[in-house]
Amino acid sequence: MKNFRLFPKRFGFIPHIFLVYLVIPLYQVNNEVGVKAVIGYGLLLLFFISYRQCYQPIRLREFYAWLSIQVAVTIAFVVFNDPYSIFLAFYTSNFIGWINDKKQFKGTWIVFASIILVCAGWILFQHGISSFTSLLPFLVVIILSPYGIRHMNERMELKNQLNEANEQIKTLIKQEERVRIARDLHDTLGHTLSLITLQSQVIQRVASDPEKVKMEAKGIEQTSRSALQQVRELVSDMRVSTIEEELAHMEQILGAATIEFQCNAMDMPTELSPLQQNIAGMCLREASTNIVKHSKASACSVTVKKDTAGLIIRIHDNGTGIADRPWGNGLKGMSERLSLIEGEMEVESELGTAITISIPIVVKTKEGAIAL
């Protein structure tokens, strides 16, 4: 009994408020005596049970059975008691609006509306035009309210689905943010830590030369400070990398790995947005890290130019190439980043590895913006 509830908790107080419609038939039954009063109380009790059961999680067949009981009790009260007992039909009209299947709803509503119209004809025939006229607005509401209830339930369902979709979007955003942070850690700290490793190896090779050791140790200190700054900027989401900066970093890390570096970037674009600059710079950083780690190259060249397709960056090394190997996380990350700015990437593996990055350039004019 401790867990007993008259109506499910999720419906709140609304089922209790609807009980007010039982006042009229209850008042009429109180004026009866004898067998008629007993039958009246029994029918009201049966109606109340059917009302409660319709709020419970039951099968569709049982739902229709309880609705049929409600309609039968309503007809009995209208015919043998008082025309205003037609208000009991508000209960049934509310539950009909809950039927999800459109075909079943329409069929049930037609049957229900027909019964109400028959009751309306009975009221007009038995009680005259005055009673019929006074009840006519309520009869119209009773007949049409299933559509109103159905529409309200559909809007509530859509709202719930929208809330669920928003929660899923939030979850996906969090997942995407984790992926972004992982990518940024890979592209930034991976590059910097690789540089520190190379500088440490240089120190081991020149251990007999104190001056060179001191110089390389100072370079390691500067690199580690740079890594710390990168972490701070990454956490605050304020890090912006430019093509010029990453070309300088690329020269630094390739030089530490004793890889000859040649850069041809005479036509550096100024039309790129900060986002385009950042993504292009991160791609250069990832490419340089891959060359140092995997290519076994002795030389690398970078060409930056503009043409009718926009900005073209070509990175070529004379290493072992990737042949038919599948792309790793680095190349996949570059491609995914470029897709955010409608950029493209091609990878060739002849005489080493060549990565060609294309980024559209948008030029603003008085009339609007056009892409080169």
Side-chain angles (χ1 to χ4, degrees):
M1 293 297 292
K2 291 183 178 179
N3 297 326
F4 175 79
R5 298 188 65 90
L6 190 59
F7 301 102
K9 185 178 180 180
R10 62 190 179 94
F11 292 105
F13 289 101
I14 293 179
H16 301 81
I17 295 174
F18 272 119
L19 292 175
V20 69
Y21 291 114
L22 292 178
V23 172
I24 294 178
L26 183 61
Y27 175 78
Q28 295 295 332
V29 171
N30 283 333
N31 293 330
E32 302 293 343
V33 293
V35 176
K36 195 173 182 180
V38 173
I39 294 175
Y41 286 122
L43 289 176
L44 281 179
L45 178 60
L46 181 61
F47 188 92
F48 174 78
I49 293 174
S50 69
Y51 172 66
R52 179 183 179 276
Q53 289 302 114
C54 284
Y55 278 104
Q56 308 302 317
I58 55 178
R59 292 177 297 181
L60 185 62
R61 182 178 298 179
E62 296 175 353
F63 180 77
Y64 276 117
W66 289 116
L67 284 187
S68 300
I69 290 174
Q70 289 181 19
V71 172
V73 173
T74 302
I75 294 173
F77 271 99
V78 170
V79 173
F80 299 106
N81 198 309
D82 186 87
Y84 288 92
S85 297
I86 195 68
F87 289 143
L88 290 174
F90 275 115
Y91 293 95
T92 310
S93 64
N94 171 65
F95 290 125
I96 290 174
W98 289 11
I99 300 174
N100 292 323
D101 186 86
K102 188 174 182 179
K103 185 176 181 181
Q104 291 178 347
F105 166 78
K106 190 172 181 179
T108 305
W109 177 81
I110 291 174
V111 173
F112 174 73
S114 301
I115 293 173
I116 296 301
L117 290 175
V118 171
C119 290
W122 172 268
I123 293 172
L124 177 62
F125 179 76
Q126 291 292 328
H127 302 278
I129 190 66
S130 60
S131 296
F132 176 80
T133 304
S134 62
L135 287 173
L136 183 60
F138 300 101
L139 295 173
V140 173
V141 174
I142 289 172
I143 292 174
L144 297 181
S145 60
Y147 277 95
I149 297 296
R150 179 179 174 82
H151 179 68
M152 182 183 68
N153 289 339
E154 287 177 347
R155 291 191 60 182
M156 290 177 63
E157 180 65 22
L158 288 175
K159 184 178 180 180
N160 291 334
Q161 292 177 358
L162 180 61
N163 290 336
E164 292 177 1
N166 287 334
E167 290 299 321
Q168 292 178 355
I169 290 172
K170 290 179 182 178
T171 301
L172 292 175
I173 289 174
K174 291 179 181 178
Q175 293 175 350
E176 179 62 26
E177 186 65 10
R178 293 190 187 102
V179 172
R180 182 192 69 80
I181 292 174
R183 262 196 216 120
D184 287 349
L185 285 171
H186 178 273
D187 295 346
T188 56
L189 293 184
H191 168 90
T192 306
L193 293 175
S194 296
L195 181 57
I196 291 175
T197 301
L198 291 171
Q199 290 172 327
S200 300
Q201 293 172 351
V202 170
I203 288 180
Q204 295 175 18
R205 290 197 299 267
V206 298
S208 59
D209 190 336
E211 289 299 324
K212 288 185 177 181
V213 170
K214 184 178 180 180
M215 182 178 63
E216 293 296 334
K218 187 176 181 180
I220 291 176
E221 180 185 359
Q222 292 175 347
T223 304
S224 63
R225 290 183 183 276
S226 174
L228 180 60
Q229 181 64 24
Q230 288 171 355
V231 171
R232 289 171 178 168
E233 292 175 349
L234 178 61
V235 171
S236 61
D237 201 27
M238 294 175 61
R239 179 181 54 77
V240 175
S241 174
T242 64
I243 295 176
E244 292 89 342
E245 292 172 349
E246 292 307 325
L247 285 174
H249 290 156
M250 195 171 187
E251 183 177 10
Q252 183 183 18
I253 190 173
L254 293 177
T258 65
I259 298 175
E260 181 183 348
F261 178 69
Q262 183 179 0
C263 179
N264 181 12
M266 301 299 294
D267 192 15
M268 192 63 66
T270 59
E271 301 91 344
L272 292 181
S273 67
L275 177 61
Q276 290 175 314
Q277 284 275 359
N278 189 49
I279 290 179
M282 297 302 292
C283 289
L284 284 170
R285 176 166 295 198
E286 175 60 30
S288 63
T289 302
N290 286 342
I291 291 171
V292 170
K293 286 184 176 180
H294 309 297
S295 72
K296 299 180 181 180
S298 61
C300 173
S301 64
V302 176
T303 303
V304 181
K305 65 179 182 179
K306 288 193 299 183
D307 64 9
T308 55
L311 177 68
I312 304 297
I313 302 176
R314 181 177 173 82
I315 308 159
H316 180 262
D317 68 74
N318 64 348
T320 57
I322 63 173
D324 296 326
R325 289 177 296 170
W327 287 9
N329 292 331
L331 290 176
K332 289 180 180 178
M334 291 169 63
S335 179
E336 290 172 1
R337 286 178 182 276
L338 288 168
S339 66
L340 297 175
I341 54 174
E342 298 183 358
E344 297 179 351
M345 184 179 76
E346 294 182 2
V347 180
E348 303 172 9
S349 187
E350 293 183 5
L351 301 177
T353 301
I355 299 176
T356 303
I357 297 171
S358 303
I359 300 176
I361 298 177
V362 178
V363 179
K364 293 183 178 179
T365 65
K366 291 183 179 180
E367 290 77 15
I370 59 173
L372 290 181

